[in-house]
Amino acid sequence: MEICKTDFRKVVGYLDDAARLYDALPMQKCKCRAHMIRQLIVKLKKKEK
């Protein structure tokens, strides 16, 4: 299944927003979640190319 570039950018943007939201929360589990989301973004960007 193909995803167009605009949809892909939207997904990455939503994930980036979620990572920033979790980073702003004080709990350690939220920091870990933000880190995992950022790793997912990197993995997705590698597959895009």
Side-chain angles (χ1 to χ4, degrees):
M1 185 168 115
E2 285 290 316
I3 299 175
C4 66
K5 283 197 181 270
T6 55
D7 288 344
F8 181 80
R9 287 186 194 127
K10 264 189 187 174
V11 168
V12 170
Y14 289 144
L15 287 172
D16 190 43
D17 290 344
R20 277 191 257 132
L21 174 72
Y22 281 122
D23 239 357
L25 296 173
M27 297 169 288
Q28 180 61 34
K29 71 177 182 179
C30 293
K31 306 284 184 202
C32 292
R33 195 168 288 162
H35 176 72
M36 295 302 289
I37 291 171
R38 282 196 196 89
Q39 286 182 327
L40 177 61
I41 291 170
V42 168
K43 193 174 189 178
L44 286 172
K45 284 184 177 181
K46 282 182 185 177
K47 290 206 178 240
E48 177 193 22
K49 296 176 183 181

